[in-house]
Amino acid sequence: MQRLIQKAKDFNELVMFEHSIFSLPFIFIAMVVAADGWFGFGLLILGVLAALSARNFAMGVNRYADSDIDAKNPRTANRPNVDGRLDKSSILVFIIVNALVFIAVAYVINSLAFALSVPILAVLASYSYMKRFSSLAHVVLGVALGLAPIAGVIAVSAAIPLWSVLLSLGVIFWVAGFDLLYSLQDIDFDKDNDLYSIPSRYGADATLFISALFHALAVLFWLLFVWAAGLGFFAFVAAAGSGFVLAYEQRLVRRDFTQIDRAFFTVNGYLGIAFFVLIVLDRMVS
């Protein structure tokens, strides 16, 4: 029993389960707006299962593909995929199981979700290989998480309305923007190992500028989402308020690169939760 508990802890560390907080709020935002309120316990359970299995799949592929890179990087050398706690065959089984769970959940949800399940998994897996030949890896990560709102609205309405695309575009640029900030930690390592990150190719100043531009676009698309979905005051506060949060994140990193972890995990985590709470409030009072 103790061994099973330890294995569970190792897999939790492998995929950083707690970081699911980035994608879950925006799935539920899309579901709340699509349903114009509460969407039911059944879809809640299916939505959580789909989100967690998709993220576990993506993180599993990333760790499986990056074992050689992680082993060279002092920041990642203690990960379970590197230090021997989890071998490659175990990680591969983990990847396959989560892929099957995601496809099965999509099948239960509706035919459109099922038809898109494998293409979505392909997009999620592609991020792990992009950094080997393209600096667009940051945007691909954004696309991977930006699919979450699309998946949420498909689960409720089996359609992809304009507002969900705008919400998704906001998530794409939000994620790409904070991934750029996060990747500043590895700028020297990426240069030495010929990896295609924007910091290693264009430098820290260009990275900070592009990150800020991406975050400005994220706020713009979220404001357009509020307009296209016909939402109210609290939804507008959520979209506009995200601009102040992201400005604080940018300022935090510019002032001190040692604050990158705080900006990445804490600030972005609060942003997603606050955005969701305000959207729920908006639907309650409308």
Side-chain angles (χ1 to χ4, degrees), residues 36-259:
D36 197 24
W38 176 234
F39 43 82
F41 283 106
L43 279 180
L44 173 65
I45 294 169
L46 290 172
V48 170
L49 284 174
L52 295 184
S53 58
R55 188 180 179 282
N56 285 344
F57 168 83
M59 291 298 296
V61 171
N62 182 260
R63 298 295 185 255
Y64 183 88
D66 282 1
S67 292
D68 56 335
I69 296 173
D70 288 346
K72 299 175 185 177
N73 190 340
R75 187 177 63 83
T76 58
N78 293 323
R79 286 176 175 172
N81 58 315
V82 176
D83 63 13
R85 282 177 286 163
L86 294 173
D87 58 37
K88 297 200 80 169
S89 60
S90 297
I91 298 173
L92 186 58
V93 170
F94 179 80
I95 292 167
I96 294 170
V97 168
N98 278 282
L100 293 175
V101 169
F102 179 75
I103 293 169
V105 170
Y107 177 81
V108 172
I109 290 173
N110 57 50
S111 58
L112 180 57
F114 180 61
L116 293 176
S117 60
V118 174
I120 286 174
L121 290 177
V123 173
L124 295 178
S126 66
Y127 163 70
S128 300
Y129 299 94
M130 283 294 291
K131 72 185 76 172
R132 290 166 169 78
F133 57 86
S134 174
S135 296
L136 291 175
H138 311 281
V139 178
V140 174
L141 178 64
V143 172
L145 271 73
L147 290 171
I150 299 291
V153 74
I154 286 173
V156 173
S157 61
I160 306 176
L162 173 63
W163 63 259
S164 68
V165 176
L166 295 169
L167 176 61
S168 177
L169 285 167
V171 173
I172 288 171
F173 284 108
W174 168 52
V175 172
F178 72 62
D179 187 60
L180 282 169
L181 297 179
Y182 191 72
S183 65
L184 286 167
Q185 297 176 103
D186 293 329
I187 185 168
D188 293 328
F189 177 82
D190 289 348
K191 285 180 181 178
D192 293 342
N193 290 272
D194 199 29
L195 296 174
Y196 287 77
S197 69
I198 284 177
S200 69
R201 298 288 159 170
Y202 303 105
D205 289 342
T207 299
L208 290 169
F209 174 79
I210 295 169
S211 174
L213 175 62
F214 280 2
H215 279 167
L217 288 171
V219 176
L220 173 62
F221 280 118
W222 282 335
L223 288 169
L224 289 173
F225 147 69
V226 171
W227 167 77
L231 302 179
F233 173 75
F234 288 106
F236 174 79
V237 170
S242 68
F244 291 99
V245 175
L246 293 176
Y248 170 71
E249 178 180 325
Q250 292 285 333
R251 182 170 175 270
L252 198 63
V253 173
R254 280 167 167 75
R255 190 171 57 195
D256 184 358
F257 276 16
T258 64
Q259 297 294 315

Side-chain angles (χ1 to χ4, degrees), residues 25-35 148-153 156 163-164 167:
F26 285 93
I27 291 176
F28 293 134
I29 286 168
M31 295 174 80
V32 165
V33 175
I150 299 291
V153 74
V156 173
W163 63 259
S164 68
L167 176 61

